[in-house]
Amino acid sequence: MSRSYQLLKYLCLLGWSAFVVFPFLWALSTSFKDANSVTGGARYLPWVEFEPTTLGWRSLFASGSQGINIVTPFLNSATVTLLASIISLALGTLAAYGLSRYKFRAGFVKNSDITFFFISQRIMPPIVLAIPFFLMLKEISALDTIWGLVIVYIALLLPIAVWVMIDFFDSIPRELDEMAMIDGCTPIGAFFRVILPNSLAGLVVAGMFCLIFGWNDFFFAFTLTFTETQLLPVAIVSLNSSVTPWWSLSAFALISVTPLALIAVVVERFMSRGSLAGAFR
């Protein structure tokens, strides 16, 4: 492998890393600026040519009219995302296992059609689902509530869990099910004692996707809530007024990204250990 190829490879990686990291550095620097630094500060090196201030960060935790309520939207987002992800992962795993191991036929509808139905729920534009969800939640008095959003998010995240887990179950030989049942397991016992432990990487990936999509959703959080239940993305956008506090907005955005970044780091290490364990078996 030539040195020029190695140099080109590292330059590409460096350029891509800079492209990915730059928005975060920009937001981090803006979170330590005041109004004058944002609107009339340095022109060529705005991320270093300013006097740092913690005004943006202090406003997130200050009390009274000058403070921004970040705790309640954060807890609301965490509650809705975690509950919806756990339920979606549980239901999606069972549905995916059934579609992977058994053949269903109702007239011309086959397993592939059922699988595509789940996938089509993610292809469909969210605006198509907004009015049905709004009317449904209104009918059951769940508009602007945590549990109403959990129901909606389960409908959004379940197709992701099914889609990811079907591929993992298909990659596991059916002989494992048969061997477990020969050893005395029932089909349910074979699933929980043999197949599910071997699908740990798939569960982690599906769970991570559910958390990411649930945490980042803005459209349904905005259309199905008003004042009682405000999620983090809506709270961030609500900071935009006639005079946008870019310093507070940047600090708020960085805090909203932190949980997903931590999850990605933990999940990456966990998946590496799982892959190694599988290789040694």
Side-chain angles (χ1 to χ4, degrees):
M1 195 173 292
S2 64
R3 295 185 61 181
S4 58
Y5 173 78
Q6 290 285 352
L7 180 63
L8 180 63
K9 184 176 71 173
Y10 285 116
L11 285 176
C12 290
L13 288 174
L14 185 63
W16 176 251
S17 301
F19 177 76
V20 172
V21 172
F22 184 75
F24 294 96
L25 290 178
W26 188 282
L28 184 63
S29 67
T30 305
S31 69
F32 288 102
K33 293 179 179 179
D34 54 16
N36 292 329
S37 299
V38 171
T39 58
R43 182 176 179 181
Y44 297 106
L45 294 174
W47 51 91
V48 293
E49 298 176 3
F50 65 95
E51 289 292 331
T53 173
T54 57
L55 174 66
W57 293 92
R58 281 188 283 113
S59 65
L60 298 183
F61 303 99
S63 58
S65 58
Q66 299 299 321
I68 299 170
N69 182 12
I70 186 176
V71 177
T72 304
F74 191 93
L75 292 178
N76 288 341
S77 281
T79 304
V80 171
T81 302
L82 284 175
L83 286 177
S85 298
I86 292 171
I87 297 172
S88 299
L89 191 59
L91 296 177
T93 301
L94 293 173
Y97 182 69
L99 288 169
S100 174
R101 289 299 191 266
Y102 301 97
K103 291 186 181 298
F104 298 93
R105 184 178 293 276
F108 60 88
V109 178
K110 298 178 293 186
N111 282 34
S112 58
D113 301 313
I114 299 172
T115 303
F116 181 75
F117 169 77
F118 281 107
I119 298 172
S120 67
Q121 304 306 303
R122 293 305 309 178
I123 298 174
M124 191 182 304
I127 190 65
V128 176
L129 300 172
I131 295 177
F133 278 144
F134 186 91
L135 296 176
M136 181 192 74
L137 295 185
K138 182 181 179 183
E139 193 66 25
I140 60 176
S141 302
L143 272 176
D144 202 14
T145 63
I146 292 288
W147 65 278
L149 281 177
V150 170
I151 294 173
V152 172
Y153 277 35
I154 289 173
L156 299 175
L157 302 181
L158 184 60
I160 298 173
V162 173
W163 191 13
V164 172
M165 291 308 299
I166 281 181
D167 280 340
F168 275 90
F169 287 138
D170 285 343
S171 67
I172 297 176
R174 293 171 182 268
E175 286 75 11
L176 282 181
D177 304 57
E178 296 168 357
M179 290 173 62
M181 286 187 276
I182 290 173
D183 287 341
C185 288
T186 62
I188 296 177
F191 170 69
F192 282 105
R193 299 179 62 179
V194 178
I195 303 302
L196 207 55
N198 283 280
S199 308
L200 203 53
L203 290 171
V204 172
V205 173
M208 187 178 66
F209 275 121
C210 288
L211 289 173
I212 291 173
F213 278 90
W215 186 265
N216 288 333
D217 174 71
F218 170 77
F219 182 78
F220 290 105
F222 180 72
T223 55
L224 302 176
T225 60
F226 307 110
T227 56
E228 296 296 325
T229 306
Q230 192 178 49
L231 300 193
L232 208 54
V234 181
I236 293 174
V237 173
S238 67
L239 291 179
N240 189 18
S241 58
S242 56
V243 180
T244 304
W246 295 108
W247 42 97
S248 301
L249 195 65
S250 299
F252 210 155
L254 288 173
I255 288 178
S256 71
V257 172
T258 302
L260 293 183
L262 295 176
I263 289 172
V265 171
V266 173
V267 166
E268 190 274 338
R269 294 179 177 178
F270 179 77
M271 287 184 67
S272 298
R273 286 201 298 269
S275 301
L276 289 174
F280 282 115
R281 275 200 293 270

